[in-house]
Amino acid sequence: MNILAPSILSADFWNLGEAVRQVEQENIRWLHIDVMDGMFVPSISYGMPVIQGLRRRTELFFDVHLMIERPERYIREFAECGADLINFHIEATERVEETIAMIRALGRKVGITIKPQTSAAAVEPYLELVDMVLVMTVEPGFGGQRLMPHCLDKVSEVRAMTRAKGLSVDIEVDGGICVDNVADAVLAGANVIVAGSAVYKGDVCSNVQTLLAKMG
Ligand code: DX5
Ligand code: ZN
């Protein structure tokens, strides 16, 4: 089953709760939450208090994408404020295995993430230890960018590795996904699809339905 995870980065923050309800009403089960620190990426988004505020009102599965330096500093806080899955960038820390173990010890699912210039091979040593690999399809930091096609080749590479090892690891794509390329992402081997502007720009209901139809 493929999963669509709307990214609230593109939502109207005046009405954040309503933006969450809108996708819930379309039977969406995952919410992608982008945390940026102004160091690992140029921009700053939102953090624990916002996640906690949402957690009190929704049962959605929170897929928290940490774009922060040395994520090991904050794993406990993100687990406690309501993350169900914590994705961190392997480029952001020298303590990848330790960070994975911290997330596991807190009972949360683990995702490791790579930027467009990081090779697929970089995730191989960790595949047995994680639930998901997030292959960024744009440079992290901003919504509304165009997908970089070479990143879909990396999705295929990661999928080939997980198959070869007999692992059922989820592969997520994030950045520039839209109705015109979502089927390509699935074909490449992704089964969790993040979409920000493609969900929240325009009519949310029809956007979600069109994306789901193209995802198969
Ligand atoms: C970018 C974020 C994405 C972003 C995607 O750094 O990780 O999750 O919200 O936005 P779109 O789908 O508009 O590219
Ligand atoms: Zn993201």
Side-chain angles (χ1 to χ4, degrees):
M1 254 308 272
N2 297 325
I3 293 166
L4 178 62
S7 165
I8 53 164
L9 190 63
S10 298
D12 171 7
F13 295 140
W14 179 258
N15 254 324
L16 186 53
E18 177 58 23
V20 175
R21 289 284 176 251
Q22 280 180 312
V23 295
E24 275 184 327
Q25 280 161 10
E26 300 307 315
N27 287 323
I28 290 294
R29 290 290 160 255
W30 282 41
L31 200 65
H32 184 83
I33 304 177
D34 292 297
V35 178
M36 304 179 188
D37 67 352
M39 296 288 287
F40 183 71
V41 291
S43 192
I44 298 177
S45 57
Y46 35 70
M48 288 80 87
V50 170
I51 298 173
Q52 190 168 39
L54 295 175
R55 181 77 292 166
R56 292 198 183 105
R57 303 290 188 94
T58 179
E59 297 290 311
L60 286 176
F61 183 89
F62 282 1
D63 164 24
V64 174
H65 176 194
L66 298 181
M67 286 164 271
I68 67 175
E69 288 289 351
R70 295 199 290 127
E72 61 271 22
R73 294 174 298 154
Y74 288 106
I75 297 305
R76 175 169 290 280
E77 280 88 341
F78 282 104
E80 286 175 355
C81 75
D84 292 296
L85 183 149
I86 300 178
N87 261 313
F88 68 95
H89 277 262
I90 61 172
E91 304 93 349
T93 178
E94 288 174 356
R95 299 158 76 177
V96 175
E97 290 199 26
E98 202 178 316
T99 307
I100 292 171
M102 288 169 79
I103 300 171
R104 281 255 177 269
L106 291 158
R108 299 306 188 270
K109 296 213 164 191
V110 184
I112 52 171
T113 309
I114 51 172
K115 298 203 281 188
Q117 300 313 323
T118 303
S119 72
V123 301
E124 188 161 21
Y126 312 112
L127 287 178
E128 280 87 355
L129 307 175
V130 301
D131 300 292
M132 183 154 90
V133 175
L134 165 52
V135 178
M136 289 301 298
T137 39
V138 299
E139 276 304 327
F142 302 96
Q145 305 179 72
R146 287 176 79 88
L147 174 139
M148 301 164 91
H150 83 273
C151 297
L152 293 185
D153 299 336
K154 295 198 301 176
V155 171
S156 306
E157 285 180 60
V158 177
R159 184 51 83 201
M161 287 178 210
T162 63
R163 283 212 180 104
K165 291 174 189 274
L167 300 169
S168 63
V169 174
D170 289 320
I171 301 183
E172 181 174 53
V173 284
D174 180 13
I177 299 291
C178 64
V179 288
D180 298 326
N181 58 29
V182 67
D184 298 335
V186 172
L187 200 64
N191 68 305
V192 182
I193 309 291
V194 177
S197 36
V199 166
Y200 282 110
K201 257 193 170 175
D203 182 62
V204 172
C205 167
S206 70
N207 288 343
V208 167
Q209 293 312 323
T210 314
L211 284 166
L212 288 174
K214 298 251 177 190
M215 281 165 57

